[in-house]
Amino acid sequence: MKKLSFLLISLLAVTLLTACGNEDEPVNKQSFTSTINCRAIDGDQVVFSQSSAKVELNYTDMNIQFNASYNDANGHAATLTTPVMKLKNISPTVYEFEASSSQQVGGSSVESLGGYIDFATGMMWYTINTGSSEVVCSTHLLYAYSTTTITNPDNGNHGSHQISAYLFAIDSKGETCVLQITNFMSTLNGSIDATEVRYDGLTVTPTVTGYKITADEVESNYTGFYKLTDVDFTLDEQCMTINGTFKCNGKDYEVTGPLFPKTSSN
């Protein structure tokens, strides 16, 4: 596993995802509210929506239940209350959940629902099949298992690492996002220049397979340092993979990898 501060990532997730625990709950249970981004897909049509979901975890019985909402492919609001779903461990930190039922969601029947949650990063992803369309939902996308390759175009020197993580916090309209890079490296010497660098106002385009994230140039929260140019990320395979490029400090960056670590089911 990459050398990544999951504690720091979790703190970032609390800040950007508005997650909160209930201190009065038994230690074997946890509930929190998190921002959920959804894409309803019908052919080449994509409808983005954002809402809050209340998630309840039971660590004794290892199950999950949550309430959420989304807009369907026609733009109509729908709600979802899941049954209690068993968590199946498929990697050291990732658990799978799945349910099939005749729940009524906005007047239509949910044919299937399933997804994953990563206890190390707080990343949750799930899909809803309504029969007429597919709805893909997740917390703000956090790619904590990616590989970053840095190349000096002047001499071809390059190096790769799995230290940095990339968090995309999408706005309520699905039009812009905040990019937060943890453990950012701006050189090839292997040293971390900043534990967290934040970029505001990148352009978001929802697609049938994920999102396009772009920016001609974007300044960081470190005034005068770490400016990115030619930013082009493709969050593909229903956001299960990241492929992106950008330039910083005269270096070319390439980012690739999965949303979740390798599991027994992929």
Side-chain angles (χ1 to χ4, degrees), residues 40 64 72 94 115 117 132 148 153 159 168 170-171 180 182 210 244 252 264:
I64 186 173
D72 64 20
V94 178
I117 185 169
S132 61
T148 302
F168 300 88
I170 300 174
D171 79 332
Q180 200 155 274
T182 305
D252 295 335
S264 60

Side-chain angles (χ1 to χ4, degrees), residues 141-205:
L141 292 159
L142 171 59
Y143 294 88
Y145 306 97
S146 57
T147 297
T148 302
T149 300
I150 308 173
T151 302
N152 185 335
D154 294 333
N155 53 27
N157 289 343
H158 63 278
S160 298
H161 66 81
Q162 295 180 313
I163 302 298
S164 299
Y166 299 82
L167 174 66
F168 300 88
I170 300 174
D171 79 332
S172 61
K173 295 181 179 180
E175 296 175 349
T176 65
C177 76
V178 173
L179 166 61
Q180 200 155 274
I181 305 177
T182 305
N183 296 336
F184 183 71
M185 295 183 181
S186 63
T187 67
L188 289 168
N189 63 13
S191 63
I192 296 172
D193 295 282
T195 56
E196 173 198 328
V197 185
R198 178 182 175 122
Y199 302 90
D200 296 331
L202 285 77
T203 300
V204 174
T205 305

Side-chain angles (χ1 to χ4, degrees), residues 48-115:
F48 175 87
S49 59
Q50 184 181 95
S51 65
S52 294
K54 182 179 179 181
V55 183
E56 297 182 357
L57 293 169
N58 185 315
Y59 298 106
T60 299
D61 299 330
M62 291 308 296
N63 58 46
I64 186 173
Q65 184 178 27
F66 55 89
N67 302 317
S69 61
Y70 60 91
N71 289 346
D72 64 20
N74 294 315
H76 300 149
T79 58
L80 171 70
T81 299
T82 76
V84 175
M85 297 175 288
K86 199 70 176 176
L87 291 167
K88 176 185 176 183
N89 187 215
I90 57 175
S91 84
T93 64
V94 178
Y95 289 76
E96 183 178 23
F97 55 86
E98 185 175 13
S100 297
S101 68
S102 58
Q103 298 169 253
Q104 293 299 307
V105 180
S108 61
S109 177
V110 171
E111 294 188 355
S112 62
L113 179 150

Side-chain angles (χ1 to χ4, degrees), residues 1 23 25 35 41 59 62 73 90 94 105 111 144 153 155 169 173 186 201 222 245-246 251 253:
M1 180 180 291
E23 295 181 357
E25 290 182 341
T35 299
I41 305 161
Y59 298 106
M62 291 308 296
I90 57 175
V94 178
V105 180
E111 294 188 355
N155 53 27
K173 295 181 179 180
S186 63
Y222 290 88
T245 56
F246 59 89
K251 308 294 189 301
Y253 286 69

Side-chain angles (χ1 to χ4, degrees), residues 198-200 217-228:
R198 178 182 175 122
Y199 302 90
D200 296 331
E217 65 176 41
V218 58
E219 297 285 350
S220 78
N221 57 315
Y222 290 88
T223 304
F225 294 91
Y226 314 130
K227 181 173 74 172
L228 305 186

Side-chain angles (χ1 to χ4, degrees), residues 43 169 225 237 241:
F225 294 91
E237 299 180 31
T241 61

